[in-house]
Amino acid sequence: MNERTVIISDCDPVVFYGVNNSNMRLISNLFPKLRITARGSVIKVIGEESETAEFEQKIKELEQYTAKYNSLPEDTIIDVIKGQAPKELKKDSVIIYGINGKPIQGRTPNQQRLVEEFTKNDLTFALGPAGTGKTYVAIALAVRALKNKEVRKIILSRPAVEAGEKLGFLPGDMKDKIDPYLQPLYDALEDMIPAVKLREYMEAKVIQIAPLAFMRGRTLSDAVIVLDEAQNTTTHQIKMFLTRLGCNAKMIITGDITQIDLPRSVGSGLVQALRVLRDVEGIGKVEFGKKDIIRHALVQRIVEAYEREDQRRQALDEASDNQQTPQ
């Protein structure tokens, strides 16, 4: 008799084992001559050497499928163990498969353009109003690169700029004060990576989420780096961030230049960077618009209403300036 140990490392064991271990029960039924026990990410199997070797091979095939699609249907288990190729879920615009196998894809032409620009360039700007999915797609691209082993880590950052609330008045220590600013990044990751695997990545610092100020002095190599809400960076901050780019690294910078929360006396680093870098080779730019908004339909109408109000105020300011200008 031969004992063999198989370790599930590329996917979440909870997804692999199924609800109430239903997948493992099915696998055990399909290998009736083997004694199989599973705990955590470790599967132990006892039986004839040829059968345990076949078992390990099939488990690794199922693990690869689970890592890719974040799900493991019973018919896929049966197909793989019987030696048939599993049915591939083919969708041209899919970036990755999120929780429960949900396809995450470029849903608008500009979201698809962001995917293409990210592939072609090491630095990509994604600009546009709230709800256009620019941050969500950027994080999905980072997760895909990590899953495909193109990079070794993901670094997500945001400037901790106070939009009407004072950081110092928030309860808790510094991490507690900063986390609310970073929550949208956590939310996106939780849609894409199973909870156990995400916690493992965070603890091992494979995925790092930190305020922009924590980036100073670092060289970020073998990584996808995403800077969100970049319109709220100062000129010094964004220059510091851009120069962190290391070898085998890609950077995506997202922002909305119509929602700058900096004091009026402070210029937006994003606005300056777009001007300074406009002719630099190897930099992509995608501009999202109202048609790309994929939140509640009301969000698009809200954005349009505020745009009309901004235009009205600008017209009033121009009229006032004209009246004050001496003839």
Side-chain angles (χ1 to χ4, degrees):
M1 299 292 279
N2 174 261
E3 179 175 322
R4 193 179 291 262
T5 299
V6 185
I7 297 175
I8 305 296
S9 57
D10 287 341
C11 67
D12 184 353
V14 174
V15 178
F16 186 88
Y17 295 155
V19 178
N20 296 322
N21 286 326
S22 59
N23 288 346
M24 282 309 300
R25 285 198 299 273
L26 176 59
I27 291 169
S28 296
N29 291 336
L30 292 168
F31 284 97
K33 295 181 182 179
L34 299 178
R35 280 172 39 207
I36 302 166
T37 58
R39 182 176 296 233
S41 60
V42 178
I43 302 173
K44 289 187 177 180
V45 57
I46 298 174
E48 295 297 328
E49 185 168 354
S50 59
E51 291 192 12
T52 59
E54 182 190 2
F55 174 85
E56 181 175 14
Q57 178 193 339
K58 299 301 184 183
I59 290 296
K60 286 301 177 184
E61 288 181 36
L62 292 171
E63 181 186 10
Q64 289 173 7
Y65 183 97
T66 309
K68 181 175 181 179
Y69 294 111
N70 262 328
S71 66
L72 185 56
E74 288 189 358
D75 57 351
T76 297
I77 295 172
I78 294 167
D79 286 346
V80 168
I81 291 177
K82 288 186 174 181
Q84 300 170 9
K87 298 177 181 67
E88 294 283 330
L89 305 178
K90 295 218 177 264
K91 286 194 178 179
D92 292 340
S93 59
V94 170
I95 302 168
I96 56 167
Y97 290 85
I99 299 301
N100 298 323
K102 169 191 169 187
I104 294 171
Q105 59 199 101
R107 292 169 59 185
T108 69
N110 278 325
Q111 287 187 2
Q112 196 56 41
R113 264 199 67 213
L114 178 55
V115 176
E116 293 163 5
E117 291 295 320
F118 174 80
T119 303
K120 292 189 295 186
N121 300 289
D122 289 338
L123 171 60
T124 305
F125 288 95
L127 313 169
T132 51
K134 54 191 184 295
T135 301
Y136 197 79
V137 172
I139 293 175
L141 289 167
V143 171
R144 183 181 71 178
L146 182 66
K147 280 191 166 190
N148 292 345
K149 295 182 169 55
E150 296 166 13
V151 296
R152 290 190 300 156
K153 56 183 179 275
I154 295 172
I155 298 167
L156 309 176
S157 187
R158 266 185 156 205
V161 172
E162 299 160 356
E165 297 180 40
K166 295 297 181 184
L167 187 61
F169 288 111
L170 293 174
D173 59 17
M174 183 54 73
K175 183 179 185 301
D176 295 329
K177 292 174 186 290
I178 288 170
D179 270 358
Y181 291 94
L182 306 175
Q183 191 58 48
L185 307 180
Y186 289 109
D187 290 344
L189 286 171
E190 287 167 359
D191 257 10
M192 301 175 196
I193 303 174
V196 173
K197 196 68 181 174
L198 178 57
R199 186 165 61 249
E200 180 186 314
Y201 281 148
M202 301 280 284
E203 289 172 356
K205 298 193 181 301
V206 172
I207 295 179
Q208 303 171 27
I209 304 178
L212 178 59
F214 289 23
M215 296 295 111
R216 188 173 297 279
R218 301 182 63 183
T219 299
L220 308 175
S221 302
D222 292 312
V224 176
I225 310 118
V226 178
L227 175 60
D228 192 32
E229 299 288 348
Q231 76 276 4
N232 289 329
T233 59
T234 65
T235 55
H236 295 297
Q237 285 175 330
I238 201 161
K239 181 182 176 184
M240 176 274 291
F241 187 83
L242 289 169
T243 53
R244 301 305 94 198
L245 191 65
C247 298
N248 189 39
K250 282 180 174 273
M251 191 176 277
I252 305 177
I253 295 180
T254 73
D256 177 6
I257 57 175
T258 68
Q259 288 190 333
I260 298 172
D261 298 315
L262 294 165
R264 292 198 172 197
S265 59
V266 179
S268 168
L270 177 60
V271 173
Q272 186 203 46
L274 291 169
R275 184 176 68 252
V276 171
L277 302 176
R278 64 181 177 272
D279 297 323
V280 176
E281 189 178 347
I283 297 177
K285 185 172 81 167
V286 181
E287 295 190 46
F288 292 79
K290 295 190 296 290
K291 291 181 180 178
D292 296 298
I293 293 175
I294 52 175
R295 289 181 184 168
H296 194 289
L298 187 58
V299 174
Q300 184 169 339
R301 297 199 290 273
I302 290 170
V303 170
E304 290 170 347
Y306 272 95
E307 282 185 352
R308 288 194 297 271
E309 175 63 13
D310 288 342
Q311 291 168 0
R312 187 185 70 82
R313 287 189 176 186
Q314 187 176 355
L316 288 173
D317 289 344
E318 289 175 357
S320 176
D321 289 343
N322 290 337
Q323 288 176 359
Q324 293 174 14
T325 303
Q327 300 297 321

